[in-house]
Amino acid sequence: MLDAKPSMEKLRWIMTQLRDPVSGCPWDIKQDFASIVPHTLEEAYEVADAIAQQDFTELEKELGDLLFQVVFYAQLGQEDRKFDLDSVIAAICEKLIRRHPHVFGDTSLTTDAEIKANWENEKAKERQHKNKTRALSILADIPKNLPALSQANKIQKRCAHVGFDWNNLDDVFAKVEEEVQEVKEQLYGEQDKLAEELGDLLFAVVNVCRHIKQDPEAILRAANNKFTKRFEAVEKKVEGSGKTIQEHDITALEQYWQQVKVEQAS
């Protein structure tokens, strides 16, 4: 198998060798479901970063790393007699076919709104199926460890699906303005209350992103990247001045900033 062409079977074989209790890798042997979660999250972010950078050579490698995470979990599941890679694949195949009746069945769904509504309805049925003894909240099963912006976006989408949503952008922006005012009013008050109001403001801004069909996580990541690129350019100008950044006042640094904005925009 070691000399076989790359394939899923070869990857599965490699995984079993790594986990072999006698001849395997000591690090891989001692891992469990919880211990590799941080590595899975890291690999997912590295995939996202490669896509953002449009580095498709790197993306190919990162996707391999992410795929290995799935194989690792499947191996752990097989060892515990809970599930294996075949059952994981079977589950996603069944789910994708069931959630796309307009592709694999006779249902007619032509608009994005109809497709999205069907998808959410199927997910709601799945949530309810998990617990048949009581009605589950529509917010049940939203991962608690999602990045906060993504979690807020997902919460709002779930609520909007059942009609709990603003009808127009004017109301959405009015809510943002209301939250800004509440932050100002609490600015010199209790810190816990101020933090709560800031959270409300961020949640309201996510709502704006959702209404105009933008991903808040991607937007903020892009803003972070833009700021980093500009600040690094400012640092180069500071270096060229012969002074340290601490020897510049904010007026001088702002002048560099404005120069960089013009240079990078051209």
Side-chain angles (χ1 to χ4, degrees), residues 95 98-99 115-132 134-142 154 157-159 161-162:
K95 180 189 293 185
R98 175 167 43 79
R99 287 188 180 183
I115 293 171
K116 181 180 178 182
N118 175 75
W119 184 272
E120 291 298 334
N121 288 335
E122 286 296 328
K123 288 170 66 176
K125 291 176 184 177
E126 291 166 12
R127 289 194 297 273
Q128 193 58 48
H129 183 70
K130 290 179 181 178
N131 191 332
K132 299 178 180 179
R134 62 184 177 87
L136 291 177
S137 167
I138 61 167
L139 303 181
D141 81 353
I142 294 179
K154 202 169 188 69
K157 284 182 177 179
R158 290 273 182 93
C159 292
H161 182 63
V162 296

Side-chain angles (χ1 to χ4, degrees), residues 1 15 19 43 54 71 93 97 105-106 115 128 136 138 153 166 174 182 190 214 237 249 251 254 258:
M1 181 62 75
M15 184 72 256
R19 288 282 295 179
E43 298 299 351
Q54 296 190 1
V71 173
C93 287
I97 291 172
D106 299 327
I115 293 171
Q128 193 58 48
L136 291 177
I138 61 167
N153 195 38
W166 300 111
E182 291 181 359
E190 298 178 11
Q214 295 285 339
K237 290 185 178 295
D249 60 22
T251 301
E254 176 63 18
Q258 294 302 326

Side-chain angles (χ1 to χ4, degrees), residues 10-48:
K10 183 173 183 178
L11 183 56
R12 293 169 76 167
W13 175 80
I14 290 171
M15 184 72 256
T16 61
Q17 299 308 301
L18 292 174
R19 288 282 295 179
D20 187 284
V22 176
S23 59
C25 170
W27 186 90
D28 290 279
I29 293 170
K30 70 180 182 181
Q31 300 310 309
D32 57 26
F33 288 106
S35 69
I36 61 174
V37 167
H39 302 285
T40 307
L41 295 174
E42 180 181 344
E43 298 299 351
Y45 281 117
E46 289 179 354
V47 166

